[in-house]
Amino acid sequence: MEHSLQELMRNARAEENTFLYMLHEEAHFDQSLFWSYVNSIIELTRLTADQPLNREVAGAVSFTYSKIMEYLQWHHSDSDIYEIENFPYVYAHHIVSLLGEIVNGFYQGIVLDESHFNEEFPNPAFAGLVANEQPAILQLGYYKQETNVHALGFREEDGTYRIELKEEEDRDLVDSKLSRREVEGTYLFHAPDASTAHQLFHEWVMSTYAPYRSVWPRGEHIMNVKDNVILHQDLTFVGIKKTFSCVDGENLREIPKMWQKALADGIEERLMALNNGAVSGLVGICVDQRDLQNGQMEYWIATSHVGEVPEGLSSIEIPASHWVVFEAEGLVPEAIQQLWKYIMSEWIGKAPYKHAGIPELEVYGGHGAPPQVWIPVKPFS
């Protein structure tokens, strides 16, 4: 169940290497990822049919379904300049009907059987299809936002991949006759399969080259963003903190769990009651600790507070700085992700400032206020 739930939630967050991400950001219909998404809901239906509906899971099912329908409608609009690559138009009606049946089945506790699937557009789970043989060598690359990182994945005897960082270009390696010994680089991590290797590599790049960022979506996005520069003197926050490794994307997986636990334990409510400082609401703060240990960071869930540090909480001071404050368009869950996307893909390379070298803040003001991202800056001169 854990794997199916994770697959569904990753789609709900439109994370890289998911069906929703590919459909929306790349305008590409990835059939393998489509079936992974579909089968995750089928499996969750089978496992929970006799249980009360889990609101979080049900919300993810509804959200992903509505987004898929929305994206398909956008891309079929005459005003949209993009066409979905690899979309099986001949099976469009079947795909739409199938998704509706799967979602309805989830809410009714009915698991779809083999009769619901088209033999010419087969579901691998029912067709008994075997995935194509995994390549002996994977080439992994990240070449965006002036970041150029390349790695290689070597398939082991057990089918897993050993991922190694390369310090120079080896894009033609697969066509070469070099031995493994000649091309070995710095070991990064192991991955169970090729698909997971790509996902973990992108998470590793984001965590290593952008440690302050828990989410860094890719792709172009046009949005109406409010931003302005403010000056704040020293800021003091109180809250809870935890150290994470950025290796293999551990921080990306564990920080959301930290927020969930803070909510369940009443920490968020307690922090809001202590919010009497210059910044309203709750704040996520990341402290880069790579100088202490490679790939390490400290993450805080905190609030701006003036006064004694309450029992059971810790305090952190952030120096005075100019901040560029970006405000998201709305309160929907993906708003903060789209905001980060705009900052990294459109603003960061054109900004007339440089980073001030202190933590960035994600500010959740509450009371209907859109979330904000604060970037500490200073002049180039």
Side-chain angles (χ1 to χ4, degrees):
M1 179 174 176
E2 182 64 27
H3 175 76
S4 297
L5 181 59
Q6 185 181 48
E7 180 69 21
L8 174 64
M9 291 306 180
R10 289 187 63 242
N11 271 278
R13 295 188 293 268
E15 293 183 6
E16 290 191 37
N17 201 39
T18 61
F19 176 66
L20 261 75
Y21 175 86
M22 294 298 295
L23 187 65
H24 184 234
E25 298 298 335
E26 306 292 344
H28 179 83
F29 186 95
D30 188 301
Q31 190 166 320
S32 175
L33 294 177
F34 169 76
W35 287 121
S36 294
Y37 163 73
V38 165
N39 290 327
S40 71
I41 299 178
I42 292 176
E43 180 66 7
L44 287 170
T45 303
R46 184 182 68 81
L47 295 172
T48 63
D50 59 348
Q51 302 174 13
L53 276 178
N54 181 299
R55 291 186 178 181
E56 182 181 10
V57 176
V61 171
S62 295
F63 177 77
T64 53
Y65 172 70
S66 65
K67 282 299 178 183
I68 291 172
M69 294 298 103
E70 183 179 305
Y71 298 156
L72 291 178
Q73 182 179 13
W74 282 349
H75 286 297
H76 281 80
S77 170
D78 291 337
S79 61
D80 190 88
I81 62 174
Y82 298 102
E83 181 177 356
I84 301 176
E85 296 178 354
N86 201 44
F87 186 76
Y89 287 95
V90 67
Y91 302 116
H93 178 73
H94 172 69
I95 291 171
V96 172
S97 298
L98 176 64
L99 287 171
E101 291 176 357
I102 289 170
V103 171
N104 287 335
F106 171 80
Y107 283 101
Q108 296 176 27
I110 300 173
V111 180
L112 271 64
D113 58 28
E114 189 172 356
S115 65
H116 290 81
F117 298 94
N118 191 315
E119 293 182 358
E120 296 181 0
F121 186 68
N123 183 341
F126 292 96
L129 300 180
V130 179
N132 293 331
E133 182 180 356
Q134 300 283 293
I137 299 177
L138 294 176
Q139 296 194 67
L140 309 173
Y142 194 102
Y143 309 108
K144 291 201 172 185
Q145 282 91 38
E146 299 182 357
T147 301
N148 191 326
V149 187
H150 185 234
L152 298 170
F154 297 96
R155 193 180 66 207
E156 306 279 29
E157 292 183 358
D158 61 359
T160 63
Y161 283 91
R162 176 184 174 89
I163 310 303
E164 299 178 357
L165 183 66
K166 290 299 294 177
E167 304 297 336
E168 55 189 49
E169 297 294 336
D170 288 305
R171 299 185 190 182
D172 298 326
L173 178 66
V174 172
D175 298 325
S176 75
K177 302 299 182 182
L178 293 177
S179 69
R180 172 171 176 156
R181 181 179 297 276
E182 291 176 288
V183 297
E184 281 187 330
T186 304
Y187 171 77
L188 296 182
F189 55 84
H190 261 81
D193 52 51
S195 176
T196 305
H198 284 278
Q199 174 194 336
L200 292 178
F201 177 68
H202 279 268
E203 291 178 354
W204 177 84
V205 172
M206 288 186 287
S207 62
T208 303
Y209 288 83
Y212 295 149
R213 216 150 276 105
S214 60
V215 180
W216 184 5
R218 295 167 49 202
E220 296 298 325
H221 182 71
I222 300 173
M223 61 189 300
N224 297 317
V225 174
K226 299 178 181 179
D227 66 85
N228 62 291
V229 179
I230 63 173
L231 172 63
H232 260 300
Q233 299 303 315
D234 295 355
L235 294 171
T236 301
F237 298 92
V238 297
I240 59 174
K241 59 181 178 178
K242 191 173 182 180
T243 299
F244 295 100
S245 169
C246 297
V247 178
D248 293 351
E250 175 189 307
N251 57 320
L252 305 180
R253 295 187 296 271
E254 297 302 322
I255 288 175
K257 296 178 183 178
M258 182 180 175
W259 277 98
Q260 293 170 4
K261 189 174 188 304
L263 176 62
D265 293 347
I267 299 297
E268 289 190 8
E269 183 177 358
R270 183 186 180 194
L271 290 176
M272 286 300 295
L274 294 170
N275 184 215
N276 63 355
V279 182
S280 298
L282 298 178
V283 178
I285 310 171
C286 292
V287 180
D288 184 2
Q289 293 187 332
R290 285 180 292 179
D291 57 334
L292 300 178
Q293 182 173 328
N294 187 37
Q296 180 173 299
M297 63 171 291
E298 184 179 75
Y299 188 81
W300 290 69
I301 297 176
T303 194
S304 182
H305 178 72
V306 177
E308 294 186 2
V309 180
E311 183 179 357
L313 300 179
S314 300
S315 175
I316 181 174
E317 291 189 6
I318 296 181
S321 177
H322 284 87
W323 303 81
V324 179
V325 177
F326 296 87
E327 185 173 288
E329 289 183 292
L331 299 175
V332 293
E334 66 268 27
I336 195 72
Q337 299 180 11
Q338 297 289 4
L339 183 55
W340 272 120
K341 182 184 305 181
Y342 166 80
I343 294 170
M344 299 310 302
S345 65
E346 300 184 33
W347 182 83
I348 200 72
K350 304 173 184 177
Y353 316 101
K354 61 182 178 180
H355 199 284
I358 59 177
E360 298 159 349
L361 308 178
E362 287 183 352
V363 179
Y364 303 92
H367 305 293
Q372 297 177 335
V373 172
W374 290 27
I375 307 292
V377 296
K378 59 184 177 181
F380 278 110
S381 57

